[in-house]
Amino acid sequence: MIRKTPRQLRQEKLFIPLTVNQEDIETAERLKPDWLDAEEGAIWDRLAPLASFTGRLTEQYSEAFAEYCCLRVRIINIRRELNKTGWFYVTEGRHGEQRKLKPEAMQYNDDYRKWQALSSKFGMTPGSVKNLKVVEPEEDDGFDAL
């Protein structure tokens, strides 16, 4: 048997086909929290089977993944609102007219940072995939039977 280098194993992990099986879909449905609303549930339904397929969605991480979905919905909704109403407001002071970031925009930035951190933890960004630990299956060397 030809042993693969850690780099080869990591590269194989980077190019995972985007197809999931029925077991991954069932795992995602089983772990889906009942407190997600419709929009958050739609994000879960789209991404959780893939996270299960890649081994990143387990029972102990399902709450964190649910928070990922909640943050994604909040980011989308805040961004829609800011795109309609604008990201800044204008004030007049002793230094003249000043443009300031709306509180909603600051909340967007804060939520985006949280979402980005969770994205990295679940290996959902190109840069974070290569940092995930690759576990090689153990080979039976025959000494366990002795």
Side-chain angles (χ1 to χ4, degrees):
M1 178 174 183
I2 298 173
R3 296 200 71 151
K4 295 182 180 179
T5 66
R7 182 177 183 178
Q8 288 170 324
L9 289 170
R10 277 196 305 275
Q11 285 178 337
E12 285 179 8
K13 280 283 203 186
L14 289 175
F15 302 105
I16 297 170
L18 297 179
T19 57
V20 295
N21 58 36
Q22 188 61 33
E23 182 181 340
D24 298 315
I25 294 169
E26 291 169 2
T27 299
E29 287 174 5
R30 180 176 54 82
L31 295 175
K32 183 177 181 179
D34 58 355
W35 48 264
L36 292 175
D37 69 18
E39 287 181 286
E40 296 160 351
I43 299 283
W44 177 283
D45 293 340
R46 185 169 55 89
L47 297 176
L50 183 59
S52 176
F53 173 75
T54 57
R56 297 176 190 135
L57 179 64
T58 61
E59 189 143 358
Q60 70 188 51
Y61 301 126
S62 63
E63 293 288 324
F65 195 80
E67 287 301 322
Y68 170 89
C69 297
C70 294
L71 281 168
R72 185 66 189 134
V73 169
R74 282 182 59 173
I75 288 168
I76 291 168
N77 290 337
I78 292 172
R79 186 174 192 109
R80 279 187 189 133
E81 186 64 29
L82 288 170
N83 287 341
K84 286 181 197 172
T85 62
W87 290 66
F88 298 93
Y89 65 96
V90 178
T91 62
E92 190 71 39
R94 64 179 172 187
H95 299 294
E97 190 176 279
Q98 295 180 350
R99 290 180 49 180
K100 296 188 176 183
L101 203 57
K102 287 183 175 180
E104 296 91 339
M106 291 184 272
Q107 183 63 52
Y108 171 86
N109 290 334
D110 185 53
D111 287 346
Y112 187 82
R113 280 190 291 277
K114 292 174 191 172
W115 176 78
Q116 203 170 25
L118 282 173
S119 295
S120 293
K121 292 190 187 315
F122 283 104
M124 299 181 82
T125 63
S128 65
V129 171
K130 65 183 175 186
N131 294 329
L132 291 176
K133 184 186 248 184
V134 177
V135 180
E136 278 189 74
E138 293 184 20
E139 293 180 26
D140 184 16
D141 57 8
F143 285 106
D144 293 334
L146 295 178

